[in-house]
Amino acid sequence: MAGLKGPAYMEAKRASESETEMVQVVLPNDANPLGFILGGTVMHLIDIAGAIACHRHTRTLLVTAAVDDLQFLHSIKIGDLIILKSRVTCVFTTSLEVQVDVFSEETLTGRRLLTSRAFLTFVAVDKDGRRLPVPPLLVETEEETRVCAEAKVRREQRLRRKMANG
Ligand SMILES: CC(C)(COP(=O)(O)OP(=O)(O)OC[C@H]1O[C@@H](n2cnc3c(N)ncnc32)[C@H](O)[C@@H]1OP(=O)(O)O)[C@@H](O)C(=O)NCCC(=O)NCCS
């Protein structure tokens, strides 16, 4: 970490302190001619929801480094709610991974479906783009330990993919 200047606030935090839920109604302006929300709009919202949880964890500026492969399991129609839940899974040195789960909810019935799950990596930077260390994540439960271990495996895979492409 030599040469990296840390943010003032480097206290370890729990994932629950930064987890975020975004809810909005799907309006005609968000939709394709079939009346379903555009994939690009969902991707935009995933990026925002992931970034908010990571900002709350790091309290720094961030850039998106990677978005893992994304699937749209069900369509979300005009009038439904789109719900995005984001939670930091693991932190590394200057980067951190966040999981974003996307749900549709029918307003009249409350029926909720998982429509996408995404893993994004953000890198903490200062206003000049220099990388910053991220605060530690308090991993306390067996579930959090498992989630972080899985994030480490994904990180190795995406860095290997980056090397192979670059
Ligand atoms: C992401 C970025 C900062 C990485 O910079 P870099 O010079 O390649 O930096 P390094 O290889 O030293 O990696 C820095 C950190 O990013 C991580 N990282 C870099 N590329 C990554 C990738 N493709 N996926 C996941 N993590 C990645 C590294 O693991 C490292 O994390 P660590 O400090 O926690 O170990 C740089 O590529 C960048 O600025 N990209 C553009 C970001 C942007 O504009 N995003 C908006 C959408 S395009």
Side-chain angles (χ1 to χ4, degrees):
M1 294 307 300
L4 289 177
K5 189 164 160 281
Y9 190 58
M10 275 292 287
E11 267 175 46
K13 290 175 198 162
R14 296 179 175 81
S16 57
E17 293 175 66
S18 56
E19 73 183 343
T20 296
E21 180 169 323
M22 282 170 42
V23 184
Q24 66 182 62
V25 65
V26 178
L27 295 172
N29 203 32
D30 305 316
N32 65 19
L34 293 168
F36 302 133
I37 193 168
L38 294 163
T41 304
V42 178
M43 290 194 271
H44 175 71
L45 293 173
I46 287 172
D47 195 25
I48 302 285
I52 292 171
C54 291
H55 279 302
R56 286 173 159 173
H57 183 83
T58 64
R59 297 298 176 194
T60 67
L61 299 173
L62 298 164
V63 291
T64 314
V67 182
D68 293 5
D69 64 327
L70 188 58
Q71 300 190 20
F72 300 102
L73 305 173
H74 306 279
S75 40
I76 310 179
K77 62 183 184 305
I78 293 171
D80 284 351
L81 301 181
I82 176 168
I83 300 160
L84 299 102
K85 295 186 179 191
S86 55
R87 189 175 167 97
V88 173
T89 56
C90 206
V91 305
F92 307 110
T93 306
T94 64
S95 65
L96 68 171
E97 187 197 69
V98 61
Q99 176 176 336
V100 182
D101 285 348
V102 184
F103 301 87
S104 62
E105 184 183 306
E106 288 181 349
T107 47
L108 299 186
T109 62
R111 181 167 173 261
R112 203 179 259 214
L113 290 174
L114 177 74
T115 61
S116 297
R117 169 164 292 168
F119 295 97
L120 294 84
T121 306
F122 289 88
V123 177
V125 293
D126 67 14
K127 62 180 170 34
D128 300 313
R130 284 188 296 257
R131 293 184 286 112
L132 294 170
V134 297
L137 180 70
L138 285 171
V139 176
E140 293 169 325
T141 65
E142 267 182 38
E143 169 69 5
E144 287 171 347
T145 305
R146 180 188 63 76
V147 164
C148 189
E150 289 175 3
K152 286 176 182 164
V153 172
R154 281 189 296 273
R155 175 178 186 266
E156 292 306 316
Q157 291 169 344
R158 64 176 79 89
L159 292 180
R160 266 202 301 276
R161 280 201 300 275
K162 183 183 178 188
M163 290 280 281
N165 292 336

